[in-house]
Amino acid sequence: MSIQVERTRQRFENLVEQLEDSAAILTLVDLGVFDLLFKKAQSAEALAQATQTDSFRLSRFLNLASALGFMAKNGDEYALLDGDRDLFDPEQSYRHGNRLQGLKKRLTTFLAADEILRTGVPLEVAGSGGDVSEADRRGFLSYLHHASLDVAAEVASWTQYFSLSRVMDVGSGAGTYLWEVLKAHPQAQGQWVDRKNAIGLAQEVATAEGVVDRVNFLGGDFFEDPLGEGYDLIILSNLVHCFDMQANQRLISQLSHSLSPGGRMLIKDFEVDDARTGPLKSLRFGIMMTLVGNDGDTYSQNDVLEMVRPAGLAHEITLGMRTSPHSYGMIFKK
Ligand SMILES: C[S@@+](CC[C@H](N)C(=O)[O-])C[C@H]1O[C@@H](n2cnc3c(N)ncnc32)[C@H](O)[C@@H]1O
């Protein structure tokens, strides 16, 4: 066998082993094993009883997890690593736990890819606005909220020189970006727009951020519902990746009528290069977007220019992001 063939065979084998490791560890996350270990170190038998699983098989998973450095094994007992306790603290599960569950969802979505490629029928998910339960939407959006706090603060800092009195965040989710902008502009009023069953979470977060009195919450479908007019700023954060080019062109053209003259549209999303050769994270994300929702994709900056062109808005500036290296913020003006 040539060295090249041997190397490629080895790479394939590594891929499979990494997938096996990922599935094993995320299965333990899914079963709640790490949450149980947060309470106390336990044997495989005790963990099997608590998770209603087969202890003989579960113990094999636990051994692999400790060999991979995700937990410690002391005699018959398994324990969380000291430095990992924060990650599984139920007080912080809003922050971290959902994120680990989200990783499992990502993996299972990729594993369903062959079926989705064959049928062409994507999965309904919260992120793309699909018809999902309130609990599912809350899980996804609260994860996204905590993952985006720094990025939202950076985006809000870009608006400090704008004079804003009415701001609309379309597909706002937990409202992460809108609350940061409203905090930076104490006189401004906010319009939150997303699915009806996201309102509960958004109101909780807006209350915690001290802006709820300045916000109007509109639950529905932003492609169909009237969204008003006279906005100085419309935010589309992590939204255009949910839709195909035509849907984005239609949405942005509709929204341009909601802007006041001189008003701005801010599009924040994940970057991909024009030839679609990288970054790798964005290529993986592009696959994910074809497996869920509405034929979305990761878009290059030139794609976004094409998306906005029919609306006739002028490109003002594109900003790179310190807090999210593979993201851009593009600002357009009416
Ligand atoms: C990927 S999330 C982004 C959330 C938020 N902008 C952020 O960056 O954290 C996209 C959001 O758009 C919402 N969405 C998608 N299609 C929608 C539609 N047709 N009407 C209302 N909301 C929609 C989803 O419910 C979801 O909250």
Side-chain angles (χ1 to χ4, degrees), residues 126-129 137 140-141 144 148 169 171-173 176-177 194-195 220-223 237-239 241-243:
S128 296
R137 202 175 299 288
F140 171 73
L141 289 176
L144 197 62
S148 317
D169 188 4
S172 185
T176 321
Y177 292 74
D194 206 291
R195 293 299 191 190
D221 182 344
F222 50 59
F223 283 107
S237 76
N238 304 314
L239 190 72
H241 67 231
C242 297
F243 306 108

Side-chain angles (χ1 to χ4, degrees), residues 104-118:
K104 176 77 194 291
K105 274 219 171 95
R106 270 166 59 181
L107 181 67
T108 49
T109 303
F110 261 69
L111 292 177
D114 53 351
E115 181 66 10
I116 298 168
L117 284 173
R118 262 192 287 277

Side-chain angles (χ1 to χ4, degrees), residues 223 236 240 246-259 265 267 304 307-313 332:
F223 283 107
L236 305 184
V240 297
Q246 287 69 31
N248 279 316
Q249 285 182 330
R250 182 158 67 88
L251 179 65
I252 291 169
S253 291
Q254 271 168 236
L255 292 174
S256 67
H257 299 298
S258 294
L259 281 175
M265 183 176 290
I267 299 180
V304 175
M307 227 173 253
V308 177
R309 192 168 298 123
L313 303 177
F332 297 86

Side-chain angles (χ1 to χ4, degrees), residues 273-284:
D273 63 44
D274 281 320
R276 291 181 154 66
T277 60
L280 276 174
K281 242 182 186 326
S282 301
L283 298 181
R284 290 189 195 107

